[in-house]
Amino acid sequence: MAPMSATSPAASPAISPATSLWERYQAHLVRYKDMGIWLDISRMRFGDGFFAEMNGKAEEAFVRMKELEAGAIANPNENRMVGHYWLRAPKLAPTADLRDEIETTRESILGFASMVHAGEIKGGMARFSDVLLIGIGGSALGPQFLSEALGAAKDPMKIHFLDNTDPDGFDRTFAKIKSLSTTLAVVISKSGGTKETRNGMLETQARYESEGLSFAKHAVAVTGRGSELDKAADKGGWLRRFPMWDWVGGRTSVMSAVGLLPMALQGLDIDQFLAGAAAMDAKTRIAKTSGNAAMILALMWYFAGDGKGMKDMVILPYKDRLVLFSKYLQQLVMESLGKERDLAGNVVHQGIAVYGNKGSTDQHAYVQQLREGVPNFFATFIEVRKNRDTVPFDVEPGVTSGDYLQGFLRGTRSALYENGRDSITISVPRVDAFTVGALIALYERAVGFYASLVNINAYHQPGVEAGKKAAARVLALQGKVRAALQAANGSPLTASQIAAGTGSDPEDVFHVLNHLAANASNIERSDAEAPGHETFRFR
Amino acid sequence: MAPMSATSPAASPAISPATSLWERYQAHLVRYKDMGIWLDISRMRFGDGFFAEMNGKAEEAFVRMKELEAGAIANPNENRMVGHYWLRAPKLAPTADLRDEIETTRESILGFASMVHAGEIKGGMARFSDVLLIGIGGSALGPQFLSEALGAAKDPMKIHFLDNTDPDGFDRTFAKIKSLSTTLAVVISKSGGTKETRNGMLETQARYESEGLSFAKHAVAVTGRGSELDKAADKGGWLRRFPMWDWVGGRTSVMSAVGLLPMALQGLDIDQFLAGAAAMDAKTRIAKTSGNAAMILALMWYFAGDGKGMKDMVILPYKDRLVLFSKYLQQLVMESLGKERDLAGNVVHQGIAVYGNKGSTDQHAYVQQLREGVPNFFATFIEVRKNRDTVPFDVEPGVTSGDYLQGFLRGTRSALYENGRDSITISVPRVDAFTVGALIALYERAVGFYASLVNINAYHQPGVEAGKKAAARVLALQGKVRAALQAANGSPLTASQIAAGTGSDPEDVFHVLNHLAANASNIERSDAEAPGHETFRFR
């Protein structure tokens, strides 16, 4: 090509469609230049009047957010304040006591981690080398995402997770830990009564004891003051207890001790993490849609799904480190927004389904459907500008693996747009503690705004109780079924017979019987064509 | 409760709603008793006439499947046979040559793995301890799922993956490998030209060489005969080459060398894996809906989404080992079914979105939305009957962690059903090679049947080409942009200027410029308020 003068204007006599997209791109681009974070909504097909139409709802959302940040009871159903924004800006906390607690907790986490690293706190003779985090949902997903995004092989401690109540899963995790004697168990449960976590803790305690180790000397708790777990840790003389507060929800707890303690133990930079979130909060706290990335994101979600969640949110970070971000957002978005009723009590069945893994890998999995199939989604591309921290390597002259990654991102964004599929693109300079803190803060506030736009409470989760209660009934039934088999003294019984005798549902009984027969060596199952004719007996 | 006689009938004078569900459960339960695999569709609210209505379509699907298994050109767009069913039943392959190739490949995989384990094949002085699998999509997801589902800490070799073109991702994986000298690189690409895999291979090769190791002495290829990769491996004198065939699609290649070689190297039982799939095929090959779990599954998907993919498929295995099953199915289902046109050429935009992780963990993430929010999904619970292989541990008297897991599964199934959310439940006795083979075969055939029900080609992926072509354009543009900057000799240029000079889209140029500026130390970016006014120059 011919050399160009730096001052020659771009020759573009008519506005071609491409030029209009370039103009649309520039007109709507939000850039936080000091953070290097950009939000591009040019590939969302909202019309010219959209922001004006939404202005009233946005204004209302700004007002509610301001009240929430000032300490209003923003979670009316649970009569609680919602204070995760204070965790990265303690001076905004509504009382001096809260401020102190946040600051003291951060300091004690840093102090504890540095003593652990120095070997001043240890369980036995040697320095702690591993962390075993026992928690589920909001008490595990944040630490999992952070360790995947920010961890490195050279970190001072390696982290493992028990995040379920699967006995085989427990066995597998224990098999990966080299030595429990140098493993610090971190038990995390806000309520202190989560059964999965309680079970993981009991199994872990038994493991330590079976190896002749004191669990208490290897354990810390992160929990609400006075909870069951808090009391057990206190009574048992555990190494340390760190607080959780009722004004921090599980899914936004990653900047409390829940996330900060594991980070600090892994040697990750909690101050940069908090600073990134605080910086994003400062930008998105400004009560004006223009330039507010969180509000614009929320409005795009509203546009995409018509304020009814009619489109799934597909998260496509083009970076291996961010592979768990979609899982993190799945919880943050779906648990916050998936609600039956709005704040006025109307049945609305809100929510936005979230899924995704990473690009360009997912192009080889489901981008086929995204481009050609059911148009029931909008995509969010996450671009990380920095390829790698090590020396560049050319896979072709002048072309790196990272250039390909960028090419696939841009190529897929175009290919989707051409076929009428909308997308958002977020660009970040690199994956580090600051940027990850900022991304989390961006999505937390976008979720809060979106909840206001559709008039729901983002801070409770009434729907999970039904499943827990039903589970408790199944466990209670198991006791009754076992008793019935024992009482029958070796005679075979059908599910219906036991159901009639215990006033239970025969199908429920049947499931319990099959579960028992598969796991208890003293319960025998006799086959029959129909489930109703099968018998079970004690032997 | 009072002891019951084994012969007393269940006292149930009137049909309560619970009893009807129990009857519905029994009426529709499909049980493969020899395999221990059950399919429960009682919580899908199809009406009495549904199966009769669908009978014509189902019959047609059986006919097409029979033709496909007999070697018809079932992938008309690519003029190929579709033969993944032969991989586990070579005697069904349409020619003796194919039969031989399948059998010989299986034998040579077993022979190769046993020589690797014995240290008879090695790269340097010591036995191979690690496998580094380089592949993407269909060439990585299967092995990833299998190693997660079936692997154990005691396996003879540890497996790692390069499944993207992220340079930082490469660095991280290499940091986890103890020694390349005892690492066997397995490069998998059917076409042999997949750029991500090519890039991963080149970076890996350079690593070996930088450590003074011969890559060829540490590498094997799995690829189509005569492919670019096949030629390079042949010419380079790699340890071994294993074949891929054009009649096996990437997403159904897990029972070819793609999946079997990594399995065998990890010490997993490939014969049981194939046997499980063959057993499931034998059950679901029978051309009758009643008792055919694959057809019933496909019909349930049809019912759930009205044959248009209107409901997402949420996969909830209650077992840690199965956490990647949803990701595996995401590819199998979405790439197979996400199609723009039907076989008659009509625009139909088919597909079913798939997501999920594991229970009960996901109950703490998004079951809130599943129960109360947008009713845009149906769930599939996967129950694993066997709790663990080690000694049971009581977390309460007579209650194990596994009883809780079962309770949560049953509780959530009930809680969803109560709120009008449908679900399927699949029960398997345990997670082993046989069962996993059977599950994969079940879903492969269900996908094939569903494609027939909605009249699409499940075996091509025309939609992924557009993204690849667009990516190639971006990479070509990068060369032009760099040349323009160089030609400008240090003078700053805007994106529009370069676009005008190269006949490109200014926004595309702008993205390339920002990507270069972030990664090439000799390209300088000058900030401006609007993207169009920013300049870039060579220094």
Side-chain angles (χ1 to χ4, degrees):
Chain A
M1 56 162 284
M4 286 179 298
S5 149
T7 50
S8 72
S12 205
I15 304 289
S16 72
T19 313
S20 332
L21 260 183
W22 171 225
E23 282 170 357
R24 184 177 174 85
Y25 172 78
Q26 294 186 73
H28 292 293
L29 186 65
V30 178
R31 302 202 284 184
Y32 295 153
K33 294 187 180 177
D34 49 341
M35 306 171 77
I37 298 181
W38 301 12
L39 172 66
D40 160 22
I41 56 166
S42 62
R43 265 55 171 187
M44 299 293 287
R45 288 177 170 82
F46 56 89
D48 290 341
F50 175 71
F51 284 102
E53 278 163 34
M54 294 299 294
N55 195 47
K57 284 194 162 92
E59 289 298 324
E60 171 72 20
F62 282 127
V63 170
R64 289 201 216 165
M65 184 61 79
K66 191 175 173 180
E67 290 166 0
L68 176 151
E69 287 204 85
I73 301 298
N75 178 355
N77 306 58
E78 295 178 355
N79 194 32
R80 286 176 185 176
M81 299 189 292
V82 172
H84 50 274
Y85 298 110
W86 312 328
L87 298 170
R88 51 256 194 174
K91 67 181 193 313
L92 296 183
T95 71
D97 280 357
L98 289 179
R99 206 143 59 224
D100 281 357
E101 274 215 273
I102 297 166
E103 281 169 353
T104 315
T105 301
R106 179 189 143 278
E107 282 159 19
S108 76
I109 286 168
L110 285 172
F112 179 77
S114 101
M115 285 191 285
V116 166
H117 294 160
E120 290 159 22
I121 295 174
K122 52 191 174 183
M125 302 300 286
R127 203 181 71 76
F128 280 122
S129 57
D130 293 65
V131 179
L132 174 61
L133 191 155
I134 306 165
I136 193 167
S139 299
L141 262 174
Q144 283 167 339
F145 167 51
L146 292 173
S147 83
E148 185 68 26
L150 303 172
K154 61 169 181 40
D155 291 341
M157 298 180 80
K158 194 173 154 62
I159 192 161
H160 313 266
F161 296 90
L162 298 185
D163 69 344
N164 198 359
T165 179
D166 173 13
D168 176 63
F170 294 153
D171 289 343
R172 296 180 80 206
T173 300
F174 286 120
K176 283 181 196 153
I177 295 176
K178 282 205 183 132
S179 168
L180 280 183
S181 69
T182 57
T183 298
L184 177 68
V186 177
V187 185
I188 307 183
S189 169
K190 183 176 155 184
S191 72
T194 308
K195 295 301 183 190
E196 291 92 334
T197 304
R198 194 271 321 251
N199 295 351
M201 184 196 75
L202 291 173
E203 295 235 9
T204 303
Q205 184 168 6
R207 293 266 172 166
Y208 276 88
E209 285 163 5
S210 75
E211 298 190 14
L213 299 166
S214 150
F215 179 63
K217 286 190 182 167
H218 294 76
V220 303
V222 179
T223 186
R225 290 240 167 75
S227 77
E228 218 176 289
L229 172 60
D230 193 47
K231 285 181 207 155
D234 185 25
K235 201 174 146 203
W238 293 20
L239 287 174
R240 198 69 65 98
R241 292 174 292 146
F242 296 93
M244 271 289 285
W245 302 291
D246 71 356
W247 44 269
V248 176
R251 56 189 170 276
T252 53
S253 67
V254 72
M255 292 182 202
S256 74
V258 170
L260 299 185
L261 178 64
M263 272 189 93
L265 290 169
Q266 288 168 90
L268 307 177
D269 192 335
I270 71 173
D271 286 340
Q272 278 299 303
F273 180 56
L274 294 170
M280 181 58 78
D281 283 346
K283 306 279 188 195
T284 54
R285 187 171 285 130
I286 298 166
K288 196 166 154 249
T289 297
S290 166
N292 188 319
M295 179 55 84
I296 291 171
L297 206 48
L299 288 168
M300 289 301 101
W301 300 349
Y302 192 101
F303 167 74
D306 201 19
K308 299 182 195 90
M310 292 172 73
K311 296 262 166 111
D312 294 352
M313 185 189 302
V314 178
I315 303 288
L316 284 169
Y318 276 63
K319 202 75 192 167
D320 289 358
R321 286 181 183 273
L322 296 179
V323 68
L324 294 186
F325 193 42
S326 63
K327 204 161 161 174
Y328 184 81
L329 293 182
Q330 200 172 51
Q331 177 186 49
L332 177 64
V333 173
M334 294 179 77
E335 198 165 44
S336 299
L337 303 180
K339 300 292 154 72
E340 182 176 44
R341 290 173 188 274
D342 68 11
L343 288 166
N346 306 307
V347 172
V348 288
H349 295 308
Q350 277 291 356
I352 303 177
V354 178
Y355 66 91
N357 305 294
K358 66 178 182 184
S360 68
T361 310
D362 284 355
Q363 293 181 213
H364 297 258
Y366 60 81
V367 166
Q368 165 65 35
Q369 176 165 322
L370 297 193
R371 184 167 144 99
E372 295 207 332
V374 218
N376 65 346
F377 73 95
F378 65 103
T380 303
F381 291 98
I382 299 177
E383 174 190 23
V384 177
R385 296 200 185 280
K386 181 80 178 165
N387 284 338
R388 81 196 314 167
D389 294 326
T390 52
V391 181
F393 174 84
D394 281 1
V395 291
E396 291 161 24
V399 178
T400 67
S401 297
D403 296 339
Y404 268 96
L405 193 63
Q406 162 75 3
F408 287 130
L409 186 161
R410 292 291 161 193
T412 300
R413 172 173 170 273
S414 298
L416 292 184
Y417 186 73
E418 273 169 19
N419 261 20
R421 274 67 174 168
D422 284 1
S423 68
I424 293 166
T425 302
I426 296 174
S427 301
V428 301
R430 68 191 67 79
V431 181
D432 60 11
F434 184 91
T435 304
V436 170
L439 278 175
I440 290 173
L442 173 65
Y443 274 89
E444 282 180 352
R445 197 174 294 259
V447 164
F449 284 148
Y450 183 88
S452 289
L453 296 179
V454 302
N455 198 37
I456 58 167
N457 178 355
Y459 307 105
H460 66 164
Q461 50 285 332
V464 304
E465 287 309 312
K468 286 186 200 171
K469 279 181 194 155
R473 281 196 297 275
V474 173
L475 284 165
L477 180 60
Q478 179 177 304
K480 286 189 208 169
V481 169
R482 200 197 296 265
L485 287 175
Q486 271 171 322
N489 218 353
S491 302
L493 294 174
T494 66
S496 298
Q497 287 168 333
I498 296 176
T502 56
S504 323
D505 174 69
E507 188 190 329
D508 288 347
V509 171
F510 184 68
H511 295 313
V512 166
L513 283 166
N514 277 289
H515 172 70
L516 287 174
N519 291 288
S521 55
N522 55 359
I523 293 172
E524 194 180 70
R525 174 172 170 274
S526 296
D527 207 28
E529 189 48 43
H533 296 147
E534 270 164 26
T535 59
F536 297 80
R537 68 181 194 88
F538 226 82
R539 65 171 160 217
Chain B
M1 54 164 285
M4 286 179 298
S5 148
T7 49
S8 71
S12 202
I15 303 290
S16 72
T19 313
S20 331
L21 260 183
W22 171 225
E23 283 170 356
R24 183 176 175 85
Y25 172 79
Q26 293 187 74
H28 292 291
L29 187 65
V30 178
R31 301 203 283 184
Y32 295 152
K33 293 188 181 176
D34 47 343
M35 307 171 75
I37 298 183
W38 301 10
L39 171 66
D40 160 22
I41 56 166
S42 62
R43 265 54 172 185
M44 299 294 286
R45 289 176 169 82
F46 57 89
D48 290 341
F50 176 72
F51 284 103
E53 278 163 34
M54 295 299 296
N55 195 45
K57 285 195 161 91
E59 290 298 325
E60 171 72 19
F62 283 127
V63 169
R64 289 201 216 167
M65 183 63 79
K66 193 174 172 183
E67 291 166 358
L68 177 151
E69 287 204 85
I73 301 298
N75 179 355
N77 306 58
E78 296 178 353
N79 194 33
R80 286 177 184 175
M81 299 189 291
V82 172
H84 51 273
Y85 298 110
W86 312 329
L87 298 170
R88 51 257 194 173
K91 66 180 193 313
L92 296 183
T95 72
D97 281 357
L98 289 179
R99 205 145 58 227
D100 281 356
E101 274 215 89
I102 297 166
E103 281 168 354
T104 314
T105 302
R106 180 190 142 278
E107 281 160 21
S108 76
I109 287 168
L110 285 172
F112 179 77
S114 101
M115 285 191 283
V116 166
H117 295 160
E120 291 159 21
I121 293 174
K122 52 190 175 182
M125 304 300 287
R127 204 180 70 77
F128 280 122
S129 56
D130 293 64
V131 179
L132 175 60
L133 190 156
I134 307 166
I136 193 166
S139 299
L141 262 173
Q144 283 167 338
F145 167 51
L146 292 173
S147 83
E148 185 68 28
L150 304 173
K154 61 167 180 45
D155 291 340
M157 298 179 81
K158 192 171 154 63
I159 191 162
H160 314 266
F161 296 90
L162 299 184
D163 70 344
N164 197 359
T165 180
D166 174 13
D168 176 63
F170 293 153
D171 289 343
R172 298 179 79 206
T173 300
F174 287 120
K176 282 179 198 155
I177 295 176
K178 282 205 183 133
S179 168
L180 282 183
S181 70
T182 57
T183 298
L184 176 68
V186 177
V187 185
I188 307 182
S189 169
K190 183 177 157 187
S191 72
T194 309
K195 296 302 184 188
E196 291 92 334
T197 304
R198 195 271 321 250
N199 295 350
M201 183 196 75
L202 291 173
E203 296 235 7
T204 303
Q205 184 168 6
R207 293 267 173 166
Y208 277 87
E209 286 164 6
S210 75
E211 296 189 15
L213 299 167
S214 152
F215 179 62
K217 286 190 180 166
H218 294 76
V220 302
V222 179
T223 186
R225 290 240 167 76
S227 78
E228 217 176 291
L229 171 59
D230 194 46
K231 286 181 208 158
D234 185 25
K235 200 176 145 200
W238 293 19
L239 287 174
R240 197 70 63 100
R241 292 173 293 145
F242 295 93
M244 271 289 284
W245 301 291
D246 71 356
W247 43 268
V248 177
R251 56 189 171 275
T252 53
S253 67
V254 72
M255 291 181 203
S256 74
V258 170
L260 298 186
L261 178 63
M263 274 187 91
L265 289 168
Q266 288 167 89
L268 307 176
D269 193 335
I270 70 172
D271 286 339
Q272 277 299 303
F273 180 57
L274 294 169
M280 181 58 77
D281 283 346
K283 305 279 188 194
T284 54
R285 186 171 285 131
I286 298 165
K288 193 165 157 252
T289 297
S290 166
N292 188 317
M295 179 56 84
I296 291 172
L297 205 49
L299 289 168
M300 289 300 103
W301 300 349
Y302 192 102
F303 167 74
D306 200 19
K308 300 182 194 88
M310 292 171 75
K311 297 262 166 110
D312 294 351
M313 185 190 299
V314 178
I315 303 288
L316 284 170
Y318 276 63
K319 201 74 191 164
D320 289 358
R321 285 180 184 273
L322 295 179
V323 68
L324 293 186
F325 193 42
S326 63
K327 206 161 159 173
Y328 184 81
L329 293 181
Q330 202 172 50
Q331 177 186 50
L332 176 64
V333 173
M334 295 178 76
E335 198 166 43
S336 300
L337 303 180
K339 298 292 154 72
E340 183 177 42
R341 290 174 188 275
D342 68 11
L343 288 167
N346 306 308
V347 171
V348 288
H349 295 307
Q350 277 290 356
I352 303 177
V354 178
Y355 64 91
N357 305 294
K358 67 178 182 184
S360 70
T361 310
D362 284 355
Q363 292 181 215
H364 296 258
Y366 59 80
V367 166
Q368 163 65 34
Q369 175 164 321
L370 297 192
R371 184 167 145 98
E372 295 206 331
V374 218
N376 64 345
F377 73 96
F378 66 103
T380 304
F381 292 97
I382 300 176
E383 174 190 24
V384 178
R385 295 201 187 281
K386 181 80 180 164
N387 284 338
R388 81 197 314 168
D389 295 324
T390 52
V391 181
F393 175 84
D394 280 0
V395 291
E396 289 160 26
V399 178
T400 68
S401 297
D403 297 338
Y404 268 97
L405 193 64
Q406 162 75 3
F408 287 130
L409 186 161
R410 292 290 161 197
T412 300
R413 172 174 171 273
S414 297
L416 292 183
Y417 186 73
E418 273 169 18
N419 262 19
R421 273 70 174 166
D422 284 2
S423 69
I424 294 165
T425 302
I426 296 173
S427 301
V428 299
R430 68 191 68 79
V431 181
D432 60 11
F434 183 91
T435 303
V436 169
L439 278 176
I440 289 174
L442 173 65
Y443 274 89
E444 282 180 352
R445 199 175 292 262
V447 164
F449 284 147
Y450 184 88
S452 290
L453 297 179
V454 302
N455 197 37
I456 57 167
N457 178 354
Y459 307 104
H460 66 164
Q461 50 285 329
V464 303
E465 287 308 312
K468 285 187 200 170
K469 280 182 194 155
R473 280 196 298 274
V474 173
L475 285 165
L477 180 61
Q478 178 177 304
K480 288 188 206 170
V481 168
R482 200 197 295 264
L485 288 174
Q486 271 171 321
N489 216 350
S491 301
L493 296 174
T494 65
S496 298
Q497 287 169 334
I498 297 176
T502 56
S504 323
D505 174 68
E507 188 190 327
D508 288 346
V509 172
F510 184 69
H511 295 314
V512 166
L513 283 165
N514 277 288
H515 171 69
L516 287 174
N519 292 289
S521 56
N522 56 358
I523 292 173
E524 194 180 71
R525 175 172 171 272
S526 295
D527 207 27
E529 190 48 44
H533 297 148
E534 270 164 25
T535 59
F536 297 80
R537 68 181 194 90
F538 226 81
R539 68 174 160 212

